[in-house]
Amino acid sequence: MDLFRLKSLLFLLFFIGRCRGQDILPEGPLDAVKTKDSGDYSINVISADGDTKTAEIKLRVLEPVSDVVIKSDLTEAIEHNSTVVLTCSAKGSLLTFTWTNGTTPIVADGKRLTLKNEQMSSTLTIAGVLRSDLVGPICCTAANKLEKEKSAPFNLTVYYGPDEGQHAKTKRTIPSPGVSFGVMEPITGAKMTGPVATLIAGNSTANLSCQVMTGTVKTRSWLKDGKPLSANSRLVFADDLSSIMINPLQKEDNGVYQCQLINPVTSAEASYKMVVNYGPEPATVTGESEVELDTKVTLTCSAASVPPANFTWKFNGTMTAVKTSQYIIDKAVYSNSGTYTCEAHNAVTGKTSKPVTHTLAVKGKRNLTSS
Ligand SMILES: *[C@@H]1O[C@H](CO)[C@@H](O)[C@H](O)[C@H]1NC(C)=O
Ligand SMILES: *[C@@H]1O[C@H](CO)[C@@H](O)[C@H](O)[C@H]1NC(C)=O
Ligand SMILES: *[C@@H]1O[C@H](CO)[C@@H](O)[C@H](O)[C@H]1NC(C)=O
Ligand SMILES: *[C@@H]1O[C@H](CO)[C@@H](O)[C@H](O)[C@H]1NC(C)=O
Ligand SMILES: *[C@@H]1O[C@H](CO)[C@@H](O)[C@H](O)[C@H]1NC(C)=O
Ligand SMILES: *[C@@H]1O[C@H](CO)[C@@H](O)[C@H](O)[C@H]1NC(C)=O
Ligand SMILES: *[C@@H]1O[C@H](CO)[C@@H](O)[C@H](O)[C@H]1NC(C)=O
Ligand SMILES: *[C@@H]1O[C@H](CO)[C@@H](O)[C@H](O)[C@H]1NC(C)=O
């Protein structure tokens, strides 16, 4: 029964009912039927001669079909690699969904194409999407017994690398009714450049810049020693993340900087090892304070420094010939007792540490404090 006939019938029933001076429909005329009006109706028609006739109507009110839309789980896809899941949804009662590719209905092939129908939606899954898959254009139609409605054509950008044989200059976008294709050049020649001059902590500034030879970079990220790099009071990122500036450099800026570059068809990375010269920081001396006659003594002076510091040693205030971080006495004699002073020096930063002293006593076996 179509809606027009249904409305006419209901009007007629209402009219008869009123003629007889009694309500036959519980809520008055059903001129704007709603889903909730669905149900079984019965009517008793009493003719002039007193005959009673009973009629029954099963009333099923369908919601009209509306809001048929296709949504994609991806806004951009990569040819061959992306699985695109299209969901068609609509409003209405007792819906059935069909998908069309141009004028051809889409049928699941059980491999690349799968279809799943549910009560209010239908899902089309395209694995390893191809440029040619979506040019149809792809539309979805939702229908019930009353009517049907078709969605707008589905749009998606599918990126694909340049076809073989074509030059990199093929970058372009081809609009088409249902889908646009972006040729995404692969990223090549990724390179990070940084300062070439000698860098001194507290004095120098560094600009690191990450460039590519070809390709449009969609995402850039920066790492230092494998960890994400973040901005701070000394480090600022360029708005497009193509470079960073550190001013002034400090010793903690030493390390390997990496930039990672991504576009839908490639990813690339480049790195730069930053050497920030600093120090020497305050020196320390470790080693024995008291040794037995004839034993070996090793005094070690250390001070954090880039490049590693050079050292000088004084004994009882007199410069010695020792220039290494270790002062070694193979067989201690009494005259080795005294005060050892170490200084660390970095010719690159021009800095010298404060002198640090260590006292050594060489004793006979019986006089050792430990025995
Ligand atoms: C749509 O039709 C085109 C051309 O016939 C075909 O190459 C493509 O695979 C079809 N797409 C789907 C999703 O069926
Ligand atoms: C697809 O793109 C066309 C042109 O840009 C637009 O008119 C149409 O509404 C889009 N369709 C959908 C489903 O987004
Ligand atoms: C770093 O880049 C900024 C901005 O481009 C520039 O002003 C500055 O001079 C550069 N510094 C160095 C050390 O190259
Ligand atoms: C596409 O998939 C292939 C095979 O899994 C992989 O080698 C390639 O790197 C992928 N390309 C992109 C752009 O993700
Ligand atoms: C070094 O100084 C210490 C302490 O003042 C003294 O005992 C020792 O004899 C001195 N040694 C030499 C070789 O001057
Ligand atoms: C250590 O001394 C050597 C030789 O004089 C010099 O070449 C080097 O630059 C010095 N290193 C430092 C950190 O001062
Ligand atoms: C640090 O910068 C100051 C001022 O520009 C300069 O005088 C000094 O020589 C620099 N120090 C080093 C170690 O380069
Ligand atoms: C041991 O100590 C005593 C008393 O301090 C001193 O007279 C003696 O010379 C010392 N002997 C040695 C071997 O150092």
Side-chain angles (χ1 to χ4, degrees), residues 31-238:
D31 55 349
V33 285
K34 305 237 165 54
T35 321
K36 67 176 167 62
D37 297 321
S38 295
D40 296 344
Y41 291 83
S42 68
I43 181 176
N44 294 326
V45 181
I46 306 159
S47 61
D49 56 16
D51 267 5
T52 304
K53 289 205 167 125
T54 303
E56 291 204 353
I57 316 167
K58 281 189 195 297
L59 181 58
R60 295 291 175 265
V61 183
L62 299 181
E63 288 257 21
V65 183
S66 64
D67 297 349
V68 185
V69 283
I70 302 180
K71 288 208 175 100
S72 166
D73 64 329
L74 306 172
T75 52
E76 295 175 340
I78 304 157
E79 187 170 40
H80 302 297
N81 280 42
S82 301
T83 294
V84 178
V85 180
L86 303 183
T87 305
C88 178
S89 62
K91 288 185 182 149
S93 313
L94 305 173
L95 296 175
T96 56
F97 292 90
T98 48
W99 293 81
T100 46
N101 181 8
T103 53
T104 323
I106 297 179
V107 284
D109 65 2
K111 292 178 205 150
R112 276 205 327 118
L113 292 183
T114 28
L115 275 172
K116 193 173 163 221
N117 286 315
E118 278 166 82
Q119 208 160 337
M120 302 301 290
S121 65
S122 171
T123 309
L124 170 65
T125 305
I126 309 172
V129 69
L130 301 177
R131 272 176 256 189
S132 54
D133 279 340
L134 304 170
V135 272
I138 304 287
C139 291
C140 162
T141 303
N144 62 22
K145 283 187 176 155
L146 224 51
E147 55 183 355
K148 59 182 173 183
E149 191 180 298
K150 197 171 179 178
S151 69
F154 170 70
N155 293 337
L156 179 77
T157 303
V158 179
Y159 285 114
Y160 57 101
D163 290 328
E164 288 197 22
Q166 284 185 307
H167 195 266
K169 281 175 183 169
T170 54
K171 191 180 168 188
R172 71 212 145 121
T173 312
I174 309 158
S176 91
V179 64
S180 60
F181 299 119
V183 181
M184 188 53 79
E185 271 188 90
I187 298 169
T188 64
K191 196 179 154 201
M192 200 191 298
T193 52
V196 285
T198 301
L199 303 173
I200 312 272
N203 248 37
S204 306
T205 297
N207 282 358
L208 304 187
S209 145
C210 189
Q211 309 292 348
V212 301
M213 236 145 74
T214 66
T216 304
V217 178
K218 284 252 167 169
T219 315
R220 289 172 195 268
S221 49
W222 289 78
L223 305 175
K224 175 175 181 280
D225 299 326
K227 293 193 188 116
L229 191 62
S230 48
N232 60 44
S233 57
R234 297 183 296 104
L235 188 157
V236 290
F237 286 88

Side-chain angles (χ1 to χ4, degrees), residues 305-311 345-349:
S305 172
V306 170
N310 284 332
F311 297 91
H345 177 70
N346 183 335
V348 178
T349 62

Side-chain angles (χ1 to χ4, degrees), residues 341-358:
T341 305
C342 155
E343 270 182 14
H345 177 70
N346 183 335
V348 178
T349 62
K351 286 187 182 169
T352 303
S353 70
K354 276 193 185 147
V356 52
T357 61
H358 182 84

